[in-house]
Amino acid sequence: MIKVASYNIRKGVGTDRIRSPERILAVLHEIDADVIALQEADRRFGRRAAILNSDHLSDHGAWKALPFGSRPLSSGWHGNVLLVRRDVQVIDCEAIHLPTLEPRGAVMADLRIGGQAIRVVGMHLDLSGLMRRRQADAILAHLDASTHQLPTVMMGDLNEWTRASGCLKDFGTRFHFAATGPSFHARRPVGRLDRIMASPDLAIVDCGVHVSHASRWASDHLPIWAKVEPA
């Protein structure tokens, strides 16, 4: 069984408007997942420095960030980061280029966790519904073009408010969704903007939204999580 999680950390700025990477790390330790997809994990302007840099992770984290950064101080691709436990074997990883009007992207990694090979995709989709559908098509096309097919988990901030249309309908033709519940806004969650999806060869055996004192304050999104195993 593999535990995955997705978390839009809002560049480390909490609902109290204080930027605290240490508070984000505390929430990640509470979740205790094998693989974590982060969104908005780099600063927006300037050198786009990582919110959780190598020092944070080496001193306080149980995870390592996969190497997607195209900028020296960045840890991700357009703010998307995949964290994996230090003992996880990384088979391959790459950025997925998306059609976009603003800085958006997706990242993909093939991993071996406890003998189980799994593909993980992290994403942060556009605010525009039309662009989200184009981005969903691009991600699915990228998966189809892969030489090797693996059981796949996709997760991230989809920015989709509707229940069964738009990009959710597109992804839903190939993946099933974890029933995690609303995760936005953290202080009073009503929107299911954050999603976890699994391919048919994976079963979602448990899932939820992580609610704690720390997660209520650390970001405007609550983290979501799921446990998956071979179907």
Side-chain angles (χ1 to χ4, degrees), residues 9-226:
I9 65 172
R10 197 196 187 190
K11 305 169 189 65
V13 178
T15 53
D16 55 3
R17 300 185 181 181
I18 296 173
R19 190 189 307 276
S20 174
E22 292 76 18
R23 190 163 49 185
I24 296 295
L25 273 172
V27 175
L28 298 184
H29 279 287
E30 290 176 353
I31 302 168
D32 195 30
D34 300 299
V35 184
I36 305 169
L38 300 180
Q39 302 87 47
E40 298 193 29
D42 295 336
R43 292 176 183 264
R44 184 176 180 86
F45 301 110
R47 294 178 293 176
R48 306 285 178 87
I51 300 304
L52 298 178
N53 58 39
S54 57
D55 290 336
H56 286 120
L57 293 174
S58 60
D59 292 345
H60 306 289
W63 306 271
K64 56 188 177 183
L66 300 191
F68 300 110
S70 58
R71 297 170 181 265
L73 298 181
S74 171
S75 62
W77 173 252
H78 292 310
N80 289 278
V81 169
L82 288 179
L83 300 179
V84 301
R85 290 196 190 277
R86 297 187 180 280
D87 61 350
V88 167
Q89 179 187 354
V90 181
I91 303 170
D92 193 17
C93 62
E94 60 183 315
I96 302 176
H97 296 262
L98 299 182
T100 182
L101 297 175
E102 55 183 324
R104 301 286 184 186
V107 290
M108 184 175 83
D110 293 346
L111 310 169
R112 190 172 301 279
I113 306 174
Q116 171 70 38
I118 187 170
R119 176 167 291 157
V120 177
V121 177
M123 66 187 78
H124 189 187
L125 301 189
D126 205 276
L127 296 175
S128 160
L130 176 61
M131 192 58 67
R132 283 196 299 272
R133 298 201 70 175
R134 291 178 179 174
Q135 291 170 345
D137 287 343
I139 292 169
L140 293 173
H142 191 89
L143 292 176
D144 289 340
S146 297
T147 304
H148 303 289
Q149 300 298 316
L150 290 173
T152 301
V153 172
M154 301 204 299
M155 51 187 171
D157 179 358
L158 273 57
N159 268 317
E160 184 65 73
W161 287 86
T162 59
R163 289 182 177 270
S165 60
C167 68
L168 297 185
K169 182 178 180 181
D170 300 329
F171 285 131
T173 62
R174 305 263 296 274
F175 289 79
H176 55 113
F177 289 85
T180 53
S183 55
F184 181 84
H185 184 278
R187 300 291 294 275
R188 190 175 182 180
V190 294
R192 298 178 64 180
L193 303 186
D194 305 285
R195 300 279 183 160
I196 296 175
M197 305 164 270
S199 55
D201 45 5
L202 289 173
I204 299 170
V205 296
D206 198 8
C207 63
V209 178
H210 180 76
V211 182
S212 69
H213 176 76
S215 67
R216 290 285 196 194
W217 292 94
S219 171
D220 59 347
H221 287 246
L222 294 170
I224 59 173
W225 59 272

